[in-house]
Amino acid sequence: QQKVQQSPESLSVPEGGMASLNCTSSDRNFQYFWWYRQHSGEGPKALMSIFSDGDKKEGRFTAHLNKASLHVSLHIRDSQPSDSALYFCAASPNSNNRIFFGDGTQLVVKP
Amino acid sequence: EAAVTQSPRNKVAVTGGKVTLSCNQTNNHNNMYWYRQDTGHGLRLIHYSYGAGSTEKGDIPDGYKASRPSQENFSLILELATPSQTSVYFCASGGRRGGADEQYFGPGTRLTVL
């Protein structure tokens, strides 16, 4: 079964609004988590990594990890139309193993 | 910045024909991966490699072969292409960043099998 589940499948927010994406894993061995972003017609690109419990902030993007509940989230404040993309949550059990991807959340930021 | 290139970018093949998708990376990464992306399925891992000469089966290897002749090159081979293999294929290389391997993706190859 899918090891990484994302919600919602799609999300629409107004420009300047807050977008919140969620991810839950079913494998307690997962220790490393990423958010990848894919703009239309391009390959995915790593947006943020988070390996420790708590928050990690990079500009307008904040990731939150709770390993006990196997939950990771991504919050985008002051959303811009250029943030419109497919966002993947990804997880791995160790530092040199394959990554397991979720099915993605399609984010649309409306001007 | 890490660079992964794929060729061809678009390919139309006939059912039963042989298709080879090529990937090249200039990052000197040991790990390389092939995925396919279909609407509703996200990224599904087909084959991967830990270095030249090695290939490993991913989650959906049936109907696909892989070849890693060198550190830089990783190919995906469809010996007998079928319409169900119509998809967008992404290659990625994996390199250490911040304590764990992060994947760098190519631009993708759109394959249509008629």
Side-chain angles (χ1 to χ4, degrees):
Chain A
Q1 75 279 18
Q2 190 80 354
K3 288 179 176 281
V4 179
Q5 295 88 35
Q6 292 186 239
S7 64
E9 289 186 12
S10 62
L11 178 64
S12 180
V13 299
E15 183 175 357
M18 173 74 83
S20 294
L21 290 67
N22 296 292
C23 174
T24 302
S25 66
S26 59
D27 191 333
R28 292 208 164 271
N29 293 316
F30 286 156
Q31 296 294 313
Y32 299 88
F33 297 85
W34 293 262
W35 286 99
Y36 281 73
R37 180 172 68 180
Q38 183 182 27
H39 285 111
S40 182
E42 300 178 3
K45 184 175 181 179
L47 181 64
M48 289 183 69
S49 62
I50 184 165
F51 305 151
S52 302
D53 281 340
D55 292 337
K56 182 178 181 180
K57 184 178 179 181
E58 293 184 358
R60 296 184 294 108
F61 299 84
T62 300
H64 176 81
L65 174 61
N66 183 326
K67 287 186 180 181
S69 62
L70 300 176
H71 183 260
V72 60
S73 59
L74 179 69
H75 305 278
I76 308 172
R77 65 171 176 82
D78 189 25
S79 296
Q80 301 297 308
S82 58
D83 295 328
S84 296
L86 183 61
Y87 289 77
F88 290 106
C89 174
S92 182
N94 60 49
S95 63
N96 192 35
N97 206 329
R98 57 162 292 185
I99 294 176
F100 293 83
F101 287 86
D103 284 343
T105 292
Q106 184 69 54
L107 173 65
V108 175
V109 180
K110 295 185 175 180
Chain B
E1 171 133 343
V4 180
T5 57
Q6 296 182 231
S7 63
R9 293 294 313 278
N10 291 279
K11 173 75 176 178
V12 178
V14 296
T15 298
K18 181 177 181 178
V19 177
T20 300
L21 306 182
S22 299
C23 178
N24 177 274
Q25 56 108 352
T26 59
N27 313 316
N28 198 32
H29 289 162
N30 289 330
N31 300 343
M32 295 188 74
Y33 307 84
W34 275 107
Y35 296 88
R36 63 178 284 176
Q37 184 176 31
D38 304 286
T39 303
H41 287 283
L43 294 163
R44 292 188 287 176
L45 183 64
I46 306 170
H47 285 288
Y48 58 104
S49 169
Y50 289 128
S54 92
T55 59
E56 305 288 337
K57 293 181 179 179
D59 298 325
I60 53 164
D62 293 346
Y64 302 94
K65 291 184 180 180
S67 174
R68 182 87 181 270
S70 66
Q71 179 82 338
E72 297 79 18
N73 296 294
F74 191 35
S75 297
L76 186 68
I77 303 146
L78 291 66
E79 295 278 3
L80 295 169
T82 68
S84 64
Q85 294 176 313
T86 293
S87 187
V88 179
Y89 290 85
F90 287 100
C91 174
S93 71
R96 188 59 58 95
R97 185 166 184 259
D101 267 18
E102 188 168 285
Q103 292 187 12
Y104 299 83
F105 285 81
T109 293
R110 183 172 296 276
L111 173 65
T112 302
V113 183
L114 302 175

